[in-house]
Amino acid sequence: MKILRLYACLFILLLSTEVFAQSDITMKYNWMFTDVAISNSGITHKVPGMIDTGASVCIIDSTFAVDSCHIKNIKGDKSIGNTSGKSIKSSDFYLDSIAFGGIVYTRVWCYIVDLSGKLKQYAPKFIIGGDVLKKDLWCFDLKKYKLQRLANIPDTVETTFRWKKYFDAGLNEIYFKGKIGGHKTRILFDTGSRRNELISSSKVTPTSFIKSPSANIAETLSYKEVGLCKDVPVQLSDFSFKVDFIKPKEPGADYPRINTDFLQGKKWVLEYKQRLLVILNNN
C-alpha cells in the first residue's frame, strides 16, 4: 500500500513539474517568428513561421506551396477575408503536419494565398493562425524571446485580460474592450499587424504624417500617407500603457488594433479556451 502511495505521489509530482521544450522567437518587421517544420506528401521544409493572432487559420504562400511543397489542385474556389473586411478567392486544404515549439500538429487546416505577390519583401512563407494557437497554452517571453507550451498557467500572474466573444467577430479573433485616448472602443489584438492602427474616424489627432508601407492578403504593397499618433494612452481592464499608432486617411477596418508593442519585455500567455491573455511576473 505504501508503494502504491509513493507511485501516486511521484506521478502527481511529475505532472506538476512537466517542462516543455522552448523555441526561439525572432522579431522581424515587428512580427513574431518561430521555426516551423512543414510536412506534406513525405516532404519536410523548415521555415520561419509568423505567429498571427489576426489570422483565423494557418496560411501558406502559394509559390512556396507549389514549388517547394508540391501542392497541386489549387482551385481558388474558397473565399478568405482579412481584418479590414476585404476578401479574396483562395483554396484551402489540410497539410499533413506542422511542428514548432516541440509540438506536432497533424492534418492542419490551411489556406493558400499569394503572400509573396501581395506583401513582396515582407512576405512570410507560412503563417501560424488562431486555429492552431488555440489548441494549446502558449507562453511568449518577449524579454528572452522564447516560445514555450505550458501545461497550465503559472501562479506568478501580474495581470489578466479577458477577451470578449462578439457575434460578428471572425473565427478565432481576439477583441478586448478598452479605451484609446480616453474613448471606449473594441480593440483587436493582432500580432500580424506591423503597427498599432486606429480607424480613420478616431478622435485621436495625429502629431505628424508619414509614408507607411501597407499590404495585406487583398492589397498589394504600397506606401500610403498616414497620421502618426505618438504616446497614445490605452487602457485594458485595469492595465494602462502608451504606444504609438498610425491613423489611415481612408476608411478600412471597423475597429482599432494593437500588436505586441505593449508586451515587449514581458512574459505572457494566450489561453483561448477561457479567452484570456495573462501577463506573468518576470521576477
PDB file of all heavy atoms in Angstrom, residues 10-43:
ATOM      1  N   LEU A  10       4.673  10.357  -6.789  1.00  0.00           N
ATOM      2  CA  LEU A  10       5.646  10.645  -7.844  1.00  0.00           C
ATOM      3  C   LEU A  10       4.960  11.064  -9.136  1.00  0.00           C
ATOM      4  O   LEU A  10       5.418  11.967  -9.842  1.00  0.00           O
ATOM      5  CB  LEU A  10       6.522   9.403  -8.091  1.00  0.00           C
ATOM      6  CG  LEU A  10       7.581   9.098  -7.025  1.00  0.00           C
ATOM      7  CD1 LEU A  10       8.225   7.742  -7.314  1.00  0.00           C
ATOM      8  CD2 LEU A  10       8.637  10.195  -6.990  1.00  0.00           C
ATOM      9  N   PHE A  11       3.845  10.417  -9.474  1.00  0.00           N
ATOM     10  CA  PHE A  11       3.091  10.742 -10.694  1.00  0.00           C
ATOM     11  C   PHE A  11       2.556  12.162 -10.629  1.00  0.00           C
ATOM     12  O   PHE A  11       2.655  12.918 -11.587  1.00  0.00           O
ATOM     13  CB  PHE A  11       1.943   9.749 -10.859  1.00  0.00           C
ATOM     14  CG  PHE A  11       1.118   9.997 -12.084  1.00  0.00           C
ATOM     15  CD1 PHE A  11       1.640   9.792 -13.355  1.00  0.00           C
ATOM     16  CD2 PHE A  11      -0.190  10.459 -11.975  1.00  0.00           C
ATOM     17  CE1 PHE A  11       0.877  10.032 -14.485  1.00  0.00           C
ATOM     18  CE2 PHE A  11      -0.950  10.707 -13.100  1.00  0.00           C
ATOM     19  CZ  PHE A  11      -0.410  10.486 -14.360  1.00  0.00           C
ATOM     20  N   ILE A  12       2.005  12.541  -9.465  1.00  0.00           N
ATOM     21  CA  ILE A  12       1.483  13.906  -9.294  1.00  0.00           C
ATOM     22  C   ILE A  12       2.618  14.917  -9.405  1.00  0.00           C
ATOM     23  O   ILE A  12       2.478  15.975 -10.025  1.00  0.00           O
ATOM     24  CB  ILE A  12       0.761  14.037  -7.936  1.00  0.00           C
ATOM     25  CG1 ILE A  12      -0.519  13.206  -7.956  1.00  0.00           C
ATOM     26  CG2 ILE A  12       0.435  15.495  -7.622  1.00  0.00           C
ATOM     27  CD1 ILE A  12      -1.184  13.069  -6.585  1.00  0.00           C
ATOM     28  N   LEU A  13       3.772  14.590  -8.819  1.00  0.00           N
ATOM     29  CA  LEU A  13       4.921  15.483  -8.880  1.00  0.00           C
ATOM     30  C   LEU A  13       5.388  15.695 -10.308  1.00  0.00           C
ATOM     31  O   LEU A  13       5.690  16.798 -10.743  1.00  0.00           O
ATOM     32  CB  LEU A  13       6.059  14.922  -8.027  1.00  0.00           C
ATOM     33  CG  LEU A  13       7.369  15.747  -7.977  1.00  0.00           C
ATOM     34  CD1 LEU A  13       7.077  17.116  -7.359  1.00  0.00           C
ATOM     35  CD2 LEU A  13       8.444  15.019  -7.192  1.00  0.00           C
ATOM     36  N   LEU A  14       5.425  14.620 -11.082  1.00  0.00           N
ATOM     37  CA  LEU A  14       5.840  14.719 -12.481  1.00  0.00           C
ATOM     38  C   LEU A  14       4.892  15.594 -13.281  1.00  0.00           C
ATOM     39  O   LEU A  14       5.307  16.391 -14.118  1.00  0.00           O
ATOM     40  CB  LEU A  14       5.925  13.321 -13.108  1.00  0.00           C
ATOM     41  CG  LEU A  14       7.120  12.459 -12.685  1.00  0.00           C
ATOM     42  CD1 LEU A  14       6.942  11.026 -13.192  1.00  0.00           C
ATOM     43  CD2 LEU A  14       8.426  13.063 -13.204  1.00  0.00           C
ATOM     44  N   LEU A  15       3.604  15.452 -13.023  1.00  0.00           N
ATOM     45  CA  LEU A  15       2.621  16.278 -13.728  1.00  0.00           C
ATOM     46  C   LEU A  15       2.786  17.740 -13.387  1.00  0.00           C
ATOM     47  O   LEU A  15       2.693  18.618 -14.241  1.00  0.00           O
ATOM     48  CB  LEU A  15       1.199  15.817 -13.367  1.00  0.00           C
ATOM     49  CG  LEU A  15       0.709  14.525 -14.002  1.00  0.00           C
ATOM     50  CD1 LEU A  15      -0.690  14.199 -13.482  1.00  0.00           C
ATOM     51  CD2 LEU A  15       0.708  14.608 -15.514  1.00  0.00           C
ATOM     52  N   SER A  16       3.033  18.032 -12.112  1.00  0.00           N
ATOM     53  CA  SER A  16       3.122  19.422 -11.671  1.00  0.00           C
ATOM     54  C   SER A  16       4.407  20.087 -12.122  1.00  0.00           C
ATOM     55  O   SER A  16       4.500  21.311 -12.149  1.00  0.00           O
ATOM     56  CB  SER A  16       3.002  19.498 -10.149  1.00  0.00           C
ATOM     57  OG  SER A  16       4.082  18.817  -9.542  1.00  0.00           O
ATOM     58  N   THR A  17       5.457  19.283 -12.450  1.00  0.00           N
ATOM     59  CA  THR A  17       6.737  19.859 -12.854  1.00  0.00           C
ATOM     60  C   THR A  17       7.029  19.615 -14.332  1.00  0.00           C
ATOM     61  O   THR A  17       8.161  19.723 -14.765  1.00  0.00           O
ATOM     62  CB  THR A  17       7.873  19.257 -11.996  1.00  0.00           C
ATOM     63  OG1 THR A  17       7.880  17.833 -12.146  1.00  0.00           O
ATOM     64  CG2 THR A  17       7.692  19.621 -10.528  1.00  0.00           C
ATOM     65  N   GLU A  18       6.022  19.252 -15.093  1.00  0.00           N
ATOM     66  CA  GLU A  18       6.214  18.953 -16.505  1.00  0.00           C
ATOM     67  C   GLU A  18       6.760  20.174 -17.236  1.00  0.00           C
ATOM     68  O   GLU A  18       6.235  21.277 -17.114  1.00  0.00           O
ATOM     69  CB  GLU A  18       4.885  18.531 -17.123  1.00  0.00           C
ATOM     70  CG  GLU A  18       5.026  18.007 -18.540  1.00  0.00           C
ATOM     71  CD  GLU A  18       3.723  17.429 -19.057  1.00  0.00           C
ATOM     72  OE1 GLU A  18       2.683  17.604 -18.404  1.00  0.00           O
ATOM     73  OE2 GLU A  18       3.765  16.804 -20.126  1.00  0.00           O
ATOM     74  N   VAL A  19       7.854  19.982 -17.966  1.00  0.00           N
ATOM     75  CA  VAL A  19       8.516  21.081 -18.672  1.00  0.00           C
ATOM     76  C   VAL A  19       8.544  20.756 -20.160  1.00  0.00           C
ATOM     77  O   VAL A  19       8.958  19.666 -20.561  1.00  0.00           O
ATOM     78  CB  VAL A  19       9.954  21.292 -18.150  1.00  0.00           C
ATOM     79  CG1 VAL A  19      10.646  22.371 -18.953  1.00  0.00           C
ATOM     80  CG2 VAL A  19       9.934  21.653 -16.666  1.00  0.00           C
ATOM     81  N   PHE A  20       8.113  21.710 -20.972  1.00  0.00           N
ATOM     82  CA  PHE A  20       8.096  21.517 -22.411  1.00  0.00           C
ATOM     83  C   PHE A  20       9.253  22.276 -23.057  1.00  0.00           C
ATOM     84  O   PHE A  20       9.787  23.224 -22.483  1.00  0.00           O
ATOM     85  CB  PHE A  20       6.768  21.996 -22.996  1.00  0.00           C
ATOM     86  CG  PHE A  20       5.577  21.198 -22.517  1.00  0.00           C
ATOM     87  CD1 PHE A  20       4.740  21.696 -21.536  1.00  0.00           C
ATOM     88  CD2 PHE A  20       5.303  19.958 -23.053  1.00  0.00           C
ATOM     89  CE1 PHE A  20       3.658  20.969 -21.084  1.00  0.00           C
ATOM     90  CE2 PHE A  20       4.214  19.214 -22.617  1.00  0.00           C
ATOM     91  CZ  PHE A  20       3.389  19.721 -21.626  1.00  0.00           C
ATOM     92  N   ALA A  21       9.610  21.865 -24.250  1.00  0.00           N
ATOM     93  CA  ALA A  21      10.731  22.473 -24.970  1.00  0.00           C
ATOM     94  C   ALA A  21      10.459  23.946 -25.280  1.00  0.00           C
ATOM     95  O   ALA A  21       9.311  24.355 -25.459  1.00  0.00           O
ATOM     96  CB  ALA A  21      10.978  21.705 -26.260  1.00  0.00           C
ATOM     97  N   GLN A  22      11.534  24.715 -25.325  1.00  0.00           N
ATOM     98  CA  GLN A  22      11.446  26.119 -25.705  1.00  0.00           C
ATOM     99  C   GLN A  22      11.952  26.296 -27.135  1.00  0.00           C
ATOM    100  O   GLN A  22      12.843  25.582 -27.585  1.00  0.00           O
ATOM    101  CB  GLN A  22      12.283  26.989 -24.774  1.00  0.00           C
ATOM    102  CG  GLN A  22      11.729  27.124 -23.372  1.00  0.00           C
ATOM    103  CD  GLN A  22      12.525  28.112 -22.549  1.00  0.00           C
ATOM    104  OE1 GLN A  22      13.698  28.368 -22.803  1.00  0.00           O
ATOM    105  NE2 GLN A  22      11.895  28.694 -21.539  1.00  0.00           N
ATOM    106  N   SER A  23      11.354  27.244 -27.835  1.00  0.00           N
ATOM    107  CA  SER A  23      11.813  27.616 -29.172  1.00  0.00           C
ATOM    108  C   SER A  23      12.126  29.102 -29.186  1.00  0.00           C
ATOM    109  O   SER A  23      11.559  29.878 -28.410  1.00  0.00           O
ATOM    110  CB  SER A  23      10.738  27.310 -30.224  1.00  0.00           C
ATOM    111  OG  SER A  23      10.459  25.932 -30.273  1.00  0.00           O
ATOM    112  N   ASP A  24      13.014  29.487 -30.075  1.00  0.00           N
ATOM    113  CA  ASP A  24      13.359  30.900 -30.193  1.00  0.00           C
ATOM    114  C   ASP A  24      12.254  31.675 -30.888  1.00  0.00           C
ATOM    115  O   ASP A  24      11.603  31.184 -31.810  1.00  0.00           O
ATOM    116  CB  ASP A  24      14.659  31.075 -30.989  1.00  0.00           C
ATOM    117  CG  ASP A  24      15.874  30.556 -30.243  1.00  0.00           C
ATOM    118  OD1 ASP A  24      15.842  30.563 -28.992  1.00  0.00           O
ATOM    119  OD2 ASP A  24      16.846  30.144 -30.905  1.00  0.00           O
ATOM    120  N   ILE A  25      12.047  32.908 -30.433  1.00  0.00           N
ATOM    121  CA  ILE A  25      11.198  33.878 -31.132  1.00  0.00           C
ATOM    122  C   ILE A  25      12.111  34.917 -31.758  1.00  0.00           C
ATOM    123  O   ILE A  25      12.989  35.464 -31.099  1.00  0.00           O
ATOM    124  CB  ILE A  25      10.207  34.567 -30.177  1.00  0.00           C
ATOM    125  CG1 ILE A  25       9.169  33.582 -29.641  1.00  0.00           C
ATOM    126  CG2 ILE A  25       9.501  35.731 -30.878  1.00  0.00           C
ATOM    127  CD1 ILE A  25       8.237  34.179 -28.600  1.00  0.00           C
ATOM    128  N   THR A  26      11.911  35.172 -33.032  1.00  0.00           N
ATOM    129  CA  THR A  26      12.650  36.216 -33.731  1.00  0.00           C
ATOM    130  C   THR A  26      11.693  37.332 -34.104  1.00  0.00           C
ATOM    131  O   THR A  26      10.640  37.075 -34.693  1.00  0.00           O
ATOM    132  CB  THR A  26      13.329  35.661 -35.000  1.00  0.00           C
ATOM    133  OG1 THR A  26      14.214  34.599 -34.643  1.00  0.00           O
ATOM    134  CG2 THR A  26      14.111  36.743 -35.724  1.00  0.00           C
ATOM    135  N   MET A  27      12.040  38.564 -33.757  1.00  0.00           N
ATOM    136  CA  MET A  27      11.227  39.714 -34.136  1.00  0.00           C
ATOM    137  C   MET A  27      11.758  40.270 -35.457  1.00  0.00           C
ATOM    138  O   MET A  27      12.942  40.582 -35.577  1.00  0.00           O
ATOM    139  CB  MET A  27      11.267  40.797 -33.066  1.00  0.00           C
ATOM    140  CG  MET A  27      10.706  40.384 -31.714  1.00  0.00           C
ATOM    141  SD  MET A  27       8.964  39.881 -31.717  1.00  0.00           S
ATOM    142  CE  MET A  27       8.145  41.384 -32.279  1.00  0.00           C
ATOM    143  N   LYS A  28      10.879  40.358 -36.445  1.00  0.00           N
ATOM    144  CA  LYS A  28      11.256  40.902 -37.749  1.00  0.00           C
ATOM    145  C   LYS A  28      10.075  41.672 -38.317  1.00  0.00           C
ATOM    146  O   LYS A  28       8.950  41.144 -38.343  1.00  0.00           O
ATOM    147  CB  LYS A  28      11.648  39.764 -38.701  1.00  0.00           C
ATOM    148  CG  LYS A  28      12.209  40.237 -40.031  1.00  0.00           C
ATOM    149  CD  LYS A  28      12.639  39.045 -40.899  1.00  0.00           C
ATOM    150  CE  LYS A  28      13.238  39.516 -42.209  1.00  0.00           C
ATOM    151  NZ  LYS A  28      13.621  38.368 -43.077  1.00  0.00           N
ATOM    152  N   TYR A  29      10.307  42.905 -38.725  1.00  0.00           N
ATOM    153  CA  TYR A  29       9.232  43.778 -39.208  1.00  0.00           C
ATOM    154  C   TYR A  29       8.157  43.977 -38.135  1.00  0.00           C
ATOM    155  O   TYR A  29       6.986  44.179 -38.442  1.00  0.00           O
ATOM    156  CB  TYR A  29       8.585  43.236 -40.489  1.00  0.00           C
ATOM    157  CG  TYR A  29       9.536  42.884 -41.593  1.00  0.00           C
ATOM    158  CD1 TYR A  29       9.438  41.661 -42.250  1.00  0.00           C
ATOM    159  CD2 TYR A  29      10.529  43.774 -41.985  1.00  0.00           C
ATOM    160  CE1 TYR A  29      10.302  41.323 -43.275  1.00  0.00           C
ATOM    161  CE2 TYR A  29      11.411  43.436 -43.010  1.00  0.00           C
ATOM    162  CZ  TYR A  29      11.297  42.216 -43.652  1.00  0.00           C
ATOM    163  OH  TYR A  29      12.161  41.888 -44.663  1.00  0.00           O
ATOM    164  N   ASN A  30       8.558  43.846 -36.869  1.00  0.00           N
ATOM    165  CA  ASN A  30       7.635  43.973 -35.740  1.00  0.00           C
ATOM    166  C   ASN A  30       6.687  42.780 -35.625  1.00  0.00           C
ATOM    167  O   ASN A  30       5.661  42.860 -34.947  1.00  0.00           O
ATOM    168  CB  ASN A  30       6.825  45.275 -35.822  1.00  0.00           C
ATOM    169  CG  ASN A  30       6.687  45.946 -34.468  1.00  0.00           C
ATOM    170  OD1 ASN A  30       7.486  45.699 -33.563  1.00  0.00           O
ATOM    171  ND2 ASN A  30       5.677  46.780 -34.299  1.00  0.00           N
ATOM    172  N   TRP A  31       7.017  41.673 -36.281  1.00  0.00           N
ATOM    173  CA  TRP A  31       6.251  40.437 -36.209  1.00  0.00           C
ATOM    174  C   TRP A  31       7.040  39.394 -35.427  1.00  0.00           C
ATOM    175  O   TRP A  31       8.264  39.422 -35.392  1.00  0.00           O
ATOM    176  CB  TRP A  31       5.969  39.872 -37.615  1.00  0.00           C
ATOM    177  CG  TRP A  31       5.067  40.716 -38.453  1.00  0.00           C
ATOM    178  CD1 TRP A  31       4.045  41.493 -38.027  1.00  0.00           C
ATOM    179  CD2 TRP A  31       5.102  40.836 -39.874  1.00  0.00           C
ATOM    180  NE1 TRP A  31       3.434  42.105 -39.096  1.00  0.00           N
ATOM    181  CE2 TRP A  31       4.060  41.727 -40.245  1.00  0.00           C
ATOM    182  CE3 TRP A  31       5.901  40.296 -40.874  1.00  0.00           C
ATOM    183  CZ2 TRP A  31       3.801  42.075 -41.569  1.00  0.00           C
ATOM    184  CZ3 TRP A  31       5.644  40.638 -42.198  1.00  0.00           C
ATOM    185  CH2 TRP A  31       4.603  41.515 -42.533  1.00  0.00           C
ATOM    186  N   MET A  32       6.333  38.447 -34.843  1.00  0.00           N
ATOM    187  CA  MET A  32       6.976  37.319 -34.154  1.00  0.00           C
ATOM    188  C   MET A  32       7.094  36.126 -35.107  1.00  0.00           C
ATOM    189  O   MET A  32       6.111  35.723 -35.720  1.00  0.00           O
ATOM    190  CB  MET A  32       6.151  36.891 -32.933  1.00  0.00           C
ATOM    191  CG  MET A  32       6.048  37.909 -31.830  1.00  0.00           C
ATOM    192  SD  MET A  32       5.262  37.221 -30.328  1.00  0.00           S
ATOM    193  CE  MET A  32       3.620  36.827 -30.963  1.00  0.00           C
ATOM    194  N   PHE A  33       8.307  35.574 -35.187  1.00  0.00           N
ATOM    195  CA  PHE A  33       8.547  34.378 -35.992  1.00  0.00           C
ATOM    196  C   PHE A  33       9.152  33.281 -35.116  1.00  0.00           C
ATOM    197  O   PHE A  33       9.910  33.559 -34.186  1.00  0.00           O
ATOM    198  CB  PHE A  33       9.533  34.675 -37.133  1.00  0.00           C
ATOM    199  CG  PHE A  33       8.966  35.491 -38.261  1.00  0.00           C
ATOM    200  CD1 PHE A  33       8.944  36.879 -38.186  1.00  0.00           C
ATOM    201  CD2 PHE A  33       8.455  34.880 -39.393  1.00  0.00           C
ATOM    202  CE1 PHE A  33       8.434  37.643 -39.220  1.00  0.00           C
ATOM    203  CE2 PHE A  33       7.937  35.635 -40.437  1.00  0.00           C
ATOM    204  CZ  PHE A  33       7.930  37.019 -40.352  1.00  0.00           C
ATOM    205  N   THR A  34       8.809  32.046 -35.432  1.00  0.00           N
ATOM    206  CA  THR A  34       9.462  30.888 -34.833  1.00  0.00           C
ATOM    207  C   THR A  34       9.615  29.826 -35.918  1.00  0.00           C
ATOM    208  O   THR A  34       8.838  29.791 -36.882  1.00  0.00           O
ATOM    209  CB  THR A  34       8.658  30.347 -33.628  1.00  0.00           C
ATOM    210  OG1 THR A  34       9.483  29.447 -32.875  1.00  0.00           O
ATOM    211  CG2 THR A  34       7.386  29.622 -34.065  1.00  0.00           C
ATOM    212  N   ASP A  35      10.616  28.971 -35.783  1.00  0.00           N
ATOM    213  CA  ASP A  35      10.856  27.949 -36.810  1.00  0.00           C
ATOM    214  C   ASP A  35       9.727  26.920 -36.830  1.00  0.00           C
ATOM    215  O   ASP A  35       9.317  26.413 -35.777  1.00  0.00           O
ATOM    216  CB  ASP A  35      12.184  27.242 -36.555  1.00  0.00           C
ATOM    217  CG  ASP A  35      13.383  28.113 -36.903  1.00  0.00           C
ATOM    218  OD1 ASP A  35      13.205  29.100 -37.651  1.00  0.00           O
ATOM    219  OD2 ASP A  35      14.496  27.825 -36.424  1.00  0.00           O
ATOM    220  N   VAL A  36       9.262  26.615 -38.029  1.00  0.00           N
ATOM    221  CA  VAL A  36       8.185  25.644 -38.225  1.00  0.00           C
ATOM    222  C   VAL A  36       8.630  24.596 -39.240  1.00  0.00           C
ATOM    223  O   VAL A  36       9.135  24.947 -40.311  1.00  0.00           O
ATOM    224  CB  VAL A  36       6.897  26.329 -38.742  1.00  0.00           C
ATOM    225  CG1 VAL A  36       5.782  25.309 -38.903  1.00  0.00           C
ATOM    226  CG2 VAL A  36       6.455  27.429 -37.804  1.00  0.00           C
ATOM    227  N   ALA A  37       8.453  23.327 -38.911  1.00  0.00           N
ATOM    228  CA  ALA A  37       8.712  22.238 -39.858  1.00  0.00           C
ATOM    229  C   ALA A  37       7.384  21.875 -40.522  1.00  0.00           C
ATOM    230  O   ALA A  37       6.454  21.429 -39.857  1.00  0.00           O
ATOM    231  CB  ALA A  37       9.312  21.041 -39.153  1.00  0.00           C
ATOM    232  N   ILE A  38       7.304  22.101 -41.826  1.00  0.00           N
ATOM    233  CA  ILE A  38       6.079  21.852 -42.586  1.00  0.00           C
ATOM    234  C   ILE A  38       6.253  20.559 -43.380  1.00  0.00           C
ATOM    235  O   ILE A  38       7.170  20.445 -44.195  1.00  0.00           O
ATOM    236  CB  ILE A  38       5.787  23.027 -43.537  1.00  0.00           C
ATOM    237  CG1 ILE A  38       5.598  24.311 -42.733  1.00  0.00           C
ATOM    238  CG2 ILE A  38       4.565  22.746 -44.396  1.00  0.00           C
ATOM    239  CD1 ILE A  38       5.533  25.557 -43.586  1.00  0.00           C
ATOM    240  N   SER A  39       5.378  19.592 -43.146  1.00  0.00           N
ATOM    241  CA  SER A  39       5.495  18.295 -43.817  1.00  0.00           C
ATOM    242  C   SER A  39       4.241  18.009 -44.631  1.00  0.00           C
ATOM    243  O   SER A  39       3.120  18.154 -44.135  1.00  0.00           O
ATOM    244  CB  SER A  39       5.704  17.175 -42.794  1.00  0.00           C
ATOM    245  OG  SER A  39       6.893  17.377 -42.057  1.00  0.00           O
ATOM    246  N   ASN A  40       4.462  17.595 -45.876  1.00  0.00           N
ATOM    247  CA  ASN A  40       3.343  17.218 -46.740  1.00  0.00           C
ATOM    248  C   ASN A  40       3.831  16.267 -47.826  1.00  0.00           C
ATOM    249  O   ASN A  40       4.867  16.518 -48.464  1.00  0.00           O
ATOM    250  CB  ASN A  40       2.733  18.466 -47.394  1.00  0.00           C
ATOM    251  CG  ASN A  40       1.328  18.235 -47.881  1.00  0.00           C
ATOM    252  OD1 ASN A  40       0.415  18.009 -47.088  1.00  0.00           O
ATOM    253  ND2 ASN A  40       1.145  18.265 -49.195  1.00  0.00           N
ATOM    254  N   SER A  41       3.113  15.188 -48.013  1.00  0.00           N
ATOM    255  CA  SER A  41       3.433  14.176 -49.033  1.00  0.00           C
ATOM    256  C   SER A  41       4.874  13.688 -48.926  1.00  0.00           C
ATOM    257  O   SER A  41       5.570  13.518 -49.939  1.00  0.00           O
ATOM    258  CB  SER A  41       3.167  14.750 -50.435  1.00  0.00           C
ATOM    259  OG  SER A  41       1.811  15.104 -50.571  1.00  0.00           O
ATOM    260  N   GLY A  42       5.343  13.493 -47.696  1.00  0.00           N
ATOM    261  CA  GLY A  42       6.687  12.955 -47.494  1.00  0.00           C
ATOM    262  C   GLY A  42       7.800  13.968 -47.593  1.00  0.00           C
ATOM    263  O   GLY A  42       8.984  13.608 -47.469  1.00  0.00           O
ATOM    264  N   ILE A  43       7.476  15.243 -47.809  1.00  0.00           N
ATOM    265  CA  ILE A  43       8.484  16.297 -47.933  1.00  0.00           C
ATOM    266  C   ILE A  43       8.369  17.230 -46.732  1.00  0.00           C
ATOM    267  O   ILE A  43       7.269  17.637 -46.361  1.00  0.00           O
ATOM    268  CB  ILE A  43       8.299  17.100 -49.234  1.00  0.00           C
ATOM    269  CG1 ILE A  43       8.405  16.173 -50.447  1.00  0.00           C
ATOM    270  CG2 ILE A  43       9.319  18.227 -49.339  1.00  0.00           C
ATOM    271  CD1 ILE A  43       8.014  16.837 -51.750  1.00  0.00           C
TER     272      ILE A  43
END
